[in-house]
Each structure stands twice: as C-alpha cells, then as structure tokens.
C-alpha cells in the first residue's frame, strides 16, 4: 500500500483549509473523495424564461432591464431580467452598492436558483449569478453539478474544485479498489475509480433522477462497498473474540436448572426450549458464545436467560445481566431473587443509584466471587467493577445500548485470556436479511411463540376528545380488580414539559377517579422513588400508573390489562408496540387505547391502523419500514449499526444477500484486503480501538 497523501498535497490547500476539512473527518486526498454529494443540480441547460415554472431549480439567462432598491417592509434590491421569451425578477435582501451598480441595464446575466411565484410573476431570491461578457464567454458547464453536505467555511465551488484536483492527483494505485474483480463482476458493479469519478462529476446526460434517488450503478457500487465493510467489520470482531478461549460450561450437573424449572407454575414453551438448547450447545464449547435471542415482547426471554445462567453457576462461575434502565434492572433482580434465592444462589444489584458503603461491599463481593449473579445497568461495566470469574454476560434489550456499549462490555469480561460467553436479548423485530447484517457477529435464536393462554391485546384508536370514555374504562377495569397504565409521551428528551405534563395528568386523573389509587413514575424521579412506585404497582397497591415512556421496556405486571397512550400519533410504531407489550401478559383480556390530538395526517392514520390490525411485532416492523423508511427502526439506536454514508438500508436492502456472499468470499480468498476495506468505511476508533 502506498502512503496516503494528506490533503495539503493539493494545490491551494493550506493549514487553515486542512483544519476545516479535518472537522469533516477528511485528512487524506482519498478521504476527500469519499465525501459524497448529497444531491445534484442540472446547470447544463439554460431554461428559457417563458418556460420557467415555480418550484424548479434552474439555470437561466437574460438581460438586465432595471435594478432598483425599494423599501417594501424591508430594504431590498429588485432586478428584472428578460430573454425575449419572458422575464424574471431577482430579489436580494443583502447586497452592496457596487453590486447594484454592476446590474446596469443591458448587462447579460446567467443565474441559478429556485423559481417561485410572487406578486410580480416569477422570482428567484438570492440567485447565484454571473455576468456574461460577449468577449469572454462563460465556460460551458458540461456536467451535472454535485451539491455536498453543508460544510462550515468551505463553499460548494471550493469543494467542487478540490474534488477535481483530488481526482487528478490520485492515481488508480493511490485509490485502491479493495473489491476483487471477481466480486465486482458477480455483483455487476463498476470499479471504484469509475464510481468515484462518476458521483463527483456526472456527465450532462447522466440520469439525474436516478442519481437523486441514489440508485445509479456508481452509487450502488459505493453502497455495496460500504455495506460490505460494515458486515466484514462485525465478522472480524467475531473472529477476534472467538480466537480467544471461553469457559466450556458443559452439561454435567443440572440440579439448578432442574430445580428452577420444577418451581415454575408453568411449562416452557417449545420456542423457549429450542432457544435454550441452542444456547446450551454454544456454552458447552471452549469458544465464547455470541448469540442473540430475538423474540417479541412477552415471549419469555428473561426465563431463558435465567436457565442459561444455571450452566455458569453450576460450574462455579459468575453471570452478569445488563439492563438498559434502572427500572428494568430492578425488576430483573426481583425475578432472579425469586427464582434463585430458594436455591441458595445470591443475586446482587448494581446500578448508578447504589453508592457509598453499599456499593463498596457489593464490589468486594463481586471481586471475591461471592456474588454468583450480578444484575445492573451499564454501571456493571464501569471502572472498579471486577469479576472474580465471569463466564456469561447477558444483555437485555440490546437495541437500547448500541454497538459500542456491547463491545465495551466484551473487553470488560475478559480475564485470564478467557472471554465470557455472551447472550444478547432483543425484542426489536427486524427483517431477516437485515438482521444478518446488523448482527453479523452474532448467531441468532428466535422465540416465535408466546406462552399459552394469552389473549391478544385489543387495540383501539381514539381522538383525545373522548377522554371521558377512556377514564370510564379505567374505572371499570380497576373496579374489576385489574390495573392500568397511562403513558404521557416524552416528546423531546431535553424538554422539562413532559414531567410536568405527566404530573398534571396524574393529578387530573386522581381527581377524576377519587376511588382509585393513582401513582406516577417518570425519569426525573430518584431511583428509590421509582422503585417504591413500581413495587406498589406490582403489589397492586397502585391501580393506575401514570408514566412517561420510562416504562417502555421490560416492565412486567401481568395483572395490568389496560394501556392508554397519549399523543400516540407522535410515537414510532416500534415504541408503541413495546408499550403495548406491557399489557396482555396474564390470562385476562387486555386493551390498548391509542389517543391522538387534533386531526390525523393520512400517514399517521395509516400507521395507527397498523397497530390496530396486528399484534405481531414482526408485522408491525415490516409495515413501519414500508410506511416511513428505515429511520428509527433501523437507525443506530435500534440495530447498533453505525451511521452509513452512502448506503440506505431500505433502498439498498436488495444488495444485502450479495453482500453476505461477497463477505464470505473475501474472508476466504482475499483476507488481506479486508482490513483496509473496513478501515475506509468504518471509523477505526469506533470498532477496533475498543477491541484491538
Ligand atoms: P420478554 O420476552 O418480553 O422479556 P418476559 O421474560 O418479561 O418477556 O416474560 C413475560 C411474562 O411471561 C413473565 O411474566 C413471565 O414470567 C411469563 N412467562 C415466561 N415464560 C412463560 C411460559 N412458558 N408460560 C407462561 N408464562 C411465561
Ligand atoms: Mg424482557
């Protein structure tokens, strides 16, 4: 590999510009070429003024007829140009006297901008424009014009120039194509050089609509490469982890597992049994397990995790369970204590809220190996927490953590050259090909069955004006011995309002339902206060729980049968599905009431209709994907996938099967090309820094 050329090797790039480029992650000439256009404009065609339509972004030419400064509310410069077929007004709010003078009658201009309708016919506000001089004509524009992401202190013109210089400066050898020719031929994609040249300088006749949609073969080639790089990075991680030994947790003694199952008031479902068998097979090997258990809300993942834990406990080793919220960590601790304390296995709970003496004695217990099971939030994996012999790490609701925390945790667990086994649990249902990319480092078990005896949750969509009926329903349910949730959404995380809104709602509901015991829980409360309220709800002392979306994940109170969600139209379907999953957990019939405010947009109406139509998380996810694109569902937050530069998981989903095939081929036949390919697309610090 040749040494990378720094951007300063480009003509005209000094320290100041290099610094600005660095802020965009651009250090080398190659990096620069991977700063890709957001969109394109066609300036090759001069549109006659008579054909101009409002809303078009176009290039036009005309002669100045007049230019006047007027005061219409605001001081502004109006300039009228004409070309024989029609005329156009150019409007400037910011201008210099010199600019005004230069727009003399008869001067010919070429302008670019978006035409819009005004009281004086069509106009362009602040067009880009240049004077055309008969003796020195403007260079013909013979390419589509790329528009780059907004960059502090660097103009579009400057960037275009830099790109041209970069393309001229870098030889093909200096822009290596890490995709083998055979892989490219299989996928029918152009070479890297061709693709890069095309996206930065598309010819005038290039299909602009296809380019704007990101579906041009040149863009598909880059998207393919990016998806491949991400896929390979996860494969490499898996390889690195599994090249270290894990503790083989063989079948041997199974008393704990047997005792736990014997104490359950129900039977495991077939799907729970199957997943557990897959996990047990992995655990028996001296290779660290990397397994994801995917299953819809309420399918019983926690129990599967507890049964898996018995393998480590039986071998005298420790288990850590990490949950995304204190609320959930607390609930898991209660469940695990209920299951394990009768079997004389101690369970510790470590969250950020546990401080001082309690914390230090907990940490000592973990270090000495006296606590076989430790449950907590991410506090589990912070400085100062050392396990004596950690053999299994369980991560619940992994989509809440993201890839980085998941990886940080792997390092933490490593001891004596051994890596702990990892069991990751998620209720985020994502389509299969996508799962294979997002979780390329994990094996997947699916729990596709709910425990028997559950009645499907009935979902109703209601205007908020029908609040009284809703209150009546709560009254009826609670008087029949059931419990209810009322969720006030957190519209903006930084906003104080939702807490107030939740407080006000709780007060209003308490007033409307004086015979009921109403509780309130939200993220700003102290952990102890939250815990007290949740314990009260769980015990039935609180009948109606008003909450923010803190109760979104994991909370399990089978006697709750009514879920009311306010402003449901503002929430993602995945989130609504999670919230709805808090009811329908017992044998009683449950309902979920989705309240909306004002009138619904057609899209919002359709999305809420999806919730009404199905209780199946996979189906909800599929429809969500269709209706609004990958967004939240497939974003960083949910899958742990890093932000992509070119690829779009929805648009480019059809590439994924070939990406997987190409990844295998590369690992097998061209392994030396894998690290540089990954480095090009996946920030070194993001993945390697932590695992290396
Ligand atoms: P999730 O998969 O959403 O994490 P949980 O583990 O919270 O689901 O389980 C939901 C509820 O179902 C819990 O109350 C749990 O005790 C119960 N449960 C788990 N497995 C079974 C089963 N096989 N039969 C009946 N109930 C079960
Ligand atoms: Mg759960």
């Amino acid at each position: 590999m040749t040494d990378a050329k720094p951007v300063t090797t480009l003509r005209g790039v000094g320290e100041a510009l290099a610094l600005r480029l660095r802020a965009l992650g651009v250090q080398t000439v190659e990096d620069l070429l991977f700063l890709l256009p957001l969109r394109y404009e066609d300036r090759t065609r001069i549109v006659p003024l008579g054909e101009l339509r409002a809303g078009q972004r176009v290039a036009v030419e005309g002669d100045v007829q007049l230019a006047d400064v007027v005061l219409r509310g605001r001081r502004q410069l109006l300039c009228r140009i004409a070309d024989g077929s029609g005329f156009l007004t150019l409007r400037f709010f910011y201008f210099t006297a010199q600019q005004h003078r230069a727009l003399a009658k008869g001067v010919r201009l070429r302008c670019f901008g978006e035409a819009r309708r005004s009281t004086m016919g069509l106009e362009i506000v602040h067009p880009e424009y240049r004077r055309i001089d008969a003796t020195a004509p403007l260079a013909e524009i013979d390419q589509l014009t790329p528009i780059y992401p907004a960059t502090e202190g660097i103009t579009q013109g400057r960037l275009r120039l830099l790109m041209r210089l970069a393309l001229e400066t870098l030889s093909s050898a200096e822009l290596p194509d890490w995709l083998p020719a055979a892989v490219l031929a299989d996928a029918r994609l152009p070479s890297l050089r061709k693709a890069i040249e095309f996206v930065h300088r598309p010819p005038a006749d290039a299909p602009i609509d296809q380019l704007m949609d990101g579906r041009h073969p040149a863009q598909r080639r880059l998207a393919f490469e990016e998806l491949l790089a991400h896929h390979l990075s996860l494969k490499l991680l898996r390889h690195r982890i599994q090249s270290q030994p894990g503790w083989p947790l063989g079948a041997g003694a199974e008393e704990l597992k047997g005792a736990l199952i014997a104490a359950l008031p129900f039977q495991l479902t077939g799907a729970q049994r199957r997943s557990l068998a897959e996990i047990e097979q992995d655990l028996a090997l001296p290779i660290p397990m990397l397994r994801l258990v995917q299953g819809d809300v309420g399918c019983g993942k926690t129990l599967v995790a507890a049964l898996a834990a018995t393998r480590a406990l039986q071998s005298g080793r420790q288990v850590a369970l990490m949950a995304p919220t204190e609320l959930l960590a607390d609930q898991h601790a209660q469940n695990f204590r209920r299951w394990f304390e009768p079997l004389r296995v101690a369970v510790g709970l470590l969250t950020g809220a546990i401080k001082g003496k309690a914390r230090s004695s907990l940490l000592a217990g973990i270090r000495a190996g006296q606590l076989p099971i430790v449950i907590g939030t991410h506090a589990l994996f912070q400085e100062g927490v050392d396990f004596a012999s950690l053999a299994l790490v369980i991560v619940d609701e992994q989509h809440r953590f993201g890839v980085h925390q998941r990886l940080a945790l792997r390092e933490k667990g490593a001891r004596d050259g051994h890596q702990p086994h990892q069991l990751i649990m998620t209720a985020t249902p994502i389509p299969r090909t996508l799962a294979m990319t997002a979780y390329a480092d994990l094996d997947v078990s699916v729990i596709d069955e709910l425990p028997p005896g559950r009645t499907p949750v009935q979902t109703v969509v209601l205007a908020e004006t029908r609040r009284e009926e809703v209150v009546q329903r709560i009254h009826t349910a609670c008087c029949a011995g059931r419990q209810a949730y009322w969720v006030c959404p957190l519209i903006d995380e930084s906003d104080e309002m939702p807490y107030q809104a939740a407080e006000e709602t709780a007060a209003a509901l308490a007033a409307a339902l004086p015979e009921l015991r109403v509780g309130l829980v939200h993220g700003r409360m102290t952990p102890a206060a939250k815990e007290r309220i949740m314990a009260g709800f769980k015990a039935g002392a609180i009948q109606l729980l008003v909450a923010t979306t803190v109760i979104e994940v994991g909370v399990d109170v089978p006697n709750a049968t009514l879920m009311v969600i306010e402003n449901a139209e503002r929430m993602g379907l995945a989130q609504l599905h999670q919230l709805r999953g808090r009811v329908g957990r017992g044998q009683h019939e449950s309902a979920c009431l989705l309240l909306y405010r004002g009138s619904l947009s057609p899209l919002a109406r359709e999305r809420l209709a999806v919730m009404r139509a199905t209780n199946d998380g996979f189906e909800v996810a599929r429809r969500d994907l269709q209706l609004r694109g990958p967004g939240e569902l497939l974003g960083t937050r949910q899958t742990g996938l890093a932000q992509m530069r070119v690829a779009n998981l929805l648009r480019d989903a059809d590439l994924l099967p070939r990406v997987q095939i190409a990844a295998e081929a590369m690992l097998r036949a061209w392994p030396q090309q894998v690290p540089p390919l990954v480095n090009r697309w996946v920030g070194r610090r993001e993945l390697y820094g932590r695992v290396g």
Side-chain angles (χ1 to χ4, degrees):
M1 225 199 309
T2 45
D3 282 334
K5 283 184 175 160
V7 275
T8 45
T9 56
L10 295 177
R11 203 170 352 111
V13 180
E15 280 310 316
L17 186 53
L19 216 62
R20 290 200 180 123
L21 287 169
R22 187 183 290 249
L24 302 171
V26 172
Q27 300 198 32
T28 66
V29 179
E30 178 181 320
D31 292 341
L32 187 63
L33 289 175
F34 282 89
L35 192 67
L36 298 166
L38 275 185
R39 56 189 177 82
Y40 296 88
E41 287 171 354
D42 185 356
R43 301 183 179 201
T44 62
R45 206 171 75 86
I46 309 295
V47 176
L49 294 177
E51 286 178 18
L52 202 54
R53 299 277 167 274
Q56 287 179 316
R57 286 184 68 81
V58 284
V60 293
E61 278 185 18
D63 299 320
V64 173
Q65 293 187 313
L66 54 96
D68 277 332
V69 174
V70 299
L71 264 169
R72 261 188 217 137
R74 241 168 112 182
R75 193 166 166 271
Q76 48 193 283
L77 170 61
L78 296 178
C79 172
R80 185 143 92 150
I81 61 169
D83 68 350
S85 74
F87 66 90
L88 172 73
T89 303
L90 310 178
R91 190 190 293 268
F92 300 88
F93 295 105
Y94 307 98
F95 55 94
T96 61
Q98 191 198 354
Q99 232 175 335
H100 183 192
R101 272 195 304 280
L103 295 175
K105 187 170 161 57
V107 164
R108 191 161 183 79
L109 298 178
R110 177 175 302 171
C111 311
F112 187 86
E114 182 173 331
R116 58 174 219 191
R117 201 170 304 290
S118 79
T119 49
M120 294 180 299
L122 289 176
E123 68 172 22
I124 297 182
V125 179
H126 283 275
E128 290 175 44
Y129 71 96
R130 283 209 209 170
R131 183 180 172 145
I132 304 181
D133 198 331
T135 58
L138 283 184
E140 272 310 300
I141 297 181
D142 56 357
Q143 278 157 351
L144 299 183
T145 306
I147 308 294
Y148 294 93
T151 48
E152 190 79 26
I154 313 174
T155 63
Q156 291 288 330
R158 189 75 184 271
L159 272 173
R160 275 173 228 140
L161 189 71
L162 283 177
M163 293 303 176
R164 190 155 74 226
L165 286 175
L167 284 169
E168 284 163 9
T169 304
L170 276 201
S171 66
S172 290
E174 289 167 321
L175 184 63
D177 196 337
W178 301 117
L179 301 196
V183 168
L184 284 179
D186 269 358
R188 293 163 188 267
L189 292 168
S191 73
L192 178 66
R193 180 88 198 181
K194 273 212 175 113
I196 285 283
E197 277 178 4
F198 198 95
V199 296
H200 288 297
R201 318 196 62 202
D205 61 353
I208 190 165
D209 291 342
Q210 203 183 28
L211 276 167
M212 297 281 264
D213 285 349
R215 291 178 195 271
H216 190 275
Q219 293 162 312
R220 301 257 297 167
R221 143 79 211 216
L222 296 174
F224 183 87
E225 179 170 329
E226 184 173 35
L227 290 169
L228 181 59
H230 278 276
H231 192 80
L232 284 168
S233 75
L234 290 173
K235 289 271 188 219
L236 286 187
L237 272 170
R238 177 183 173 89
H239 186 77
R240 278 180 202 211
I241 289 168
Q242 295 202 323
S243 62
Q244 299 164 61
W247 305 105
L249 307 174
E254 294 212 303
E255 297 91 50
L256 271 179
K257 179 180 163 191
L260 191 76
I261 292 179
L264 292 175
F266 48 71
Q267 304 255 303
L268 296 183
T269 64
Q272 281 174 318
R273 250 185 259 276
R274 217 164 35 242
S275 303
L276 184 62
E278 288 166 358
I279 294 165
E280 287 174 343
Q281 263 179 20
D282 287 353
L283 291 176
L285 302 175
I287 303 167
M289 168 173 79
L290 291 169
R291 183 169 289 276
L292 176 78
V293 173
Q294 206 180 32
D296 210 346
V297 285
C299 71
K301 294 183 288 293
T302 318
L303 182 58
V304 171
L307 290 168
T310 60
R311 279 287 171 104
L313 304 172
Q314 199 86 60
S315 306
R317 302 198 181 276
Q318 286 167 297
V319 178
L321 166 57
M322 180 165 82
T325 63
E326 284 181 355
L327 218 61
L328 194 48
D330 193 62
Q331 179 184 286
H332 280 324
Q334 286 176 33
N335 279 330
F336 274 63
R337 281 179 179 143
R338 183 160 49 84
W339 287 326
F340 285 104
E341 280 180 351
L343 308 176
R344 294 200 175 69
V345 178
V347 177
L349 173 65
L350 180 67
T351 64
I354 295 163
K355 299 209 164 75
K357 239 184 146 154
R359 187 177 189 85
S360 41
S361 77
L362 199 57
L363 292 180
I366 295 171
R367 199 171 306 121
Q370 290 152 349
L371 277 176
I373 304 179
V374 187
I375 293 174
T377 52
H378 56 274
L380 267 185
F381 294 94
Q382 280 160 1
E383 283 308 305
V385 188
D386 294 310
F387 288 85
S389 160
L390 182 61
L392 172 64
V393 170
I394 302 166
V395 183
D396 193 19
E397 306 291 353
Q398 91 86 26
H399 63 280
R400 283 308 195 95
F401 290 105
V403 88
H404 306 311
Q405 273 156 314
R406 198 167 70 158
L407 299 180
L409 181 160
R410 290 179 179 172
E411 282 171 89
K412 192 74 191 179
R415 206 177 172 92
D416 309 333
H418 284 67
Q419 280 278 340
H421 297 285
Q422 290 187 48
L423 182 61
I424 318 279
M425 302 193 288
T426 183
T428 306
I430 60 175
R432 190 179 151 72
T433 44
L434 203 61
M436 289 179 73
T437 301
Y439 303 124
D441 56 332
L442 302 172
D443 298 304
V444 179
S445 295
V446 178
I447 305 186
D448 53 3
E449 188 184 345
L450 291 179
R454 301 259 172 99
T455 44
V457 179
Q458 194 210 1
T459 301
V460 182
V461 178
L462 288 171
E464 194 244 0
T465 47
R466 292 169 64 184
R467 224 178 165 89
E468 256 171 51
E469 283 169 55
V470 176
V471 170
Q472 194 49 48
R473 262 186 98 149
I474 292 174
H475 182 259
T476 311
C478 293
C479 289
R482 305 283 84 77
Q483 290 163 280
Y485 296 96
W486 184 295
V487 177
C488 311
L490 195 69
I491 289 152
D492 173 1
E493 310 251 355
S494 62
D495 201 348
E496 302 257 338
M497 288 303 289
Y499 305 102
Q500 284 174 21
E503 271 162 22
E504 283 162 20
T505 305
L509 286 170
L513 296 162
E515 63 286 7
L516 296 190
R517 296 178 299 274
V518 179
L520 169 67
V521 65
H522 61 63
R524 291 280 168 95
M525 289 165 56
T526 66
K530 270 189 266 186
E531 203 175 305
R532 205 165 48 240
I533 298 289
M534 288 313 294
F537 190 60
K538 190 140 202 165
I542 291 170
Q543 294 161 288
L544 170 61
L545 183 64
V546 179
T548 53
T549 49
V550 289
I551 59 148
E552 174 184 337
V553 285
V555 170
D556 182 41
V557 180
N559 191 47
T561 58
L562 192 57
M563 164 65 69
V564 181
I565 306 174
E566 271 195 279
N567 281 135
E569 78 280 9
R570 300 218 195 173
M571 281 197 247
L573 294 193
Q575 191 176 24
L576 287 176
H577 182 69
Q578 282 280 342
L579 283 169
R580 177 171 62 182
R582 300 309 118 221
V583 296
R585 295 182 156 246
Q587 73 272 37
H588 300 285
E589 194 129 334
S590 295
C592 174
L593 312 183
L594 304 176
L595 303 191
Y596 63 89
R597 194 162 292 177
S599 64
L600 285 178
S601 71
L603 179 61
R605 187 177 303 276
E606 208 172 334
R607 295 176 66 239
L608 292 180
V610 170
M611 295 304 296
R612 208 171 43 211
T614 181
N615 270 301
D616 176 345
F618 277 89
E619 184 60 17
V620 169
R622 203 181 60 75
R623 298 280 293 126
D624 199 16
L625 197 65
Q626 278 176 350
L627 286 175
R628 67 168 183 161
E632 168 114 336
L633 175 69
L634 307 178
T636 320
R637 207 190 86 166
Q638 302 259 337
T639 56
L641 268 190
Q643 195 64 43
M644 302 271 181
R645 279 189 255 168
V646 203
N648 169 322
L649 285 168
L650 180 67
R651 183 190 62 209
D652 303 321
D654 63 309
L655 291 173
L656 293 174
R658 272 184 296 165
V659 164
Q660 278 152 30
I661 294 168
E664 272 161 37
M666 285 196 67
L667 288 170
R668 195 177 53 240
W670 297 277
Q672 71 289 357
Q673 294 182 206
V674 171
L677 174 64
V678 170
N679 280 343
R680 175 181 280 164
W681 292 96
V682 185
R684 273 139 277 200
R685 71 207 130 74
E686 280 183 32
L687 290 174
Y688 292 100
R690 294 175 170 274
V691 186

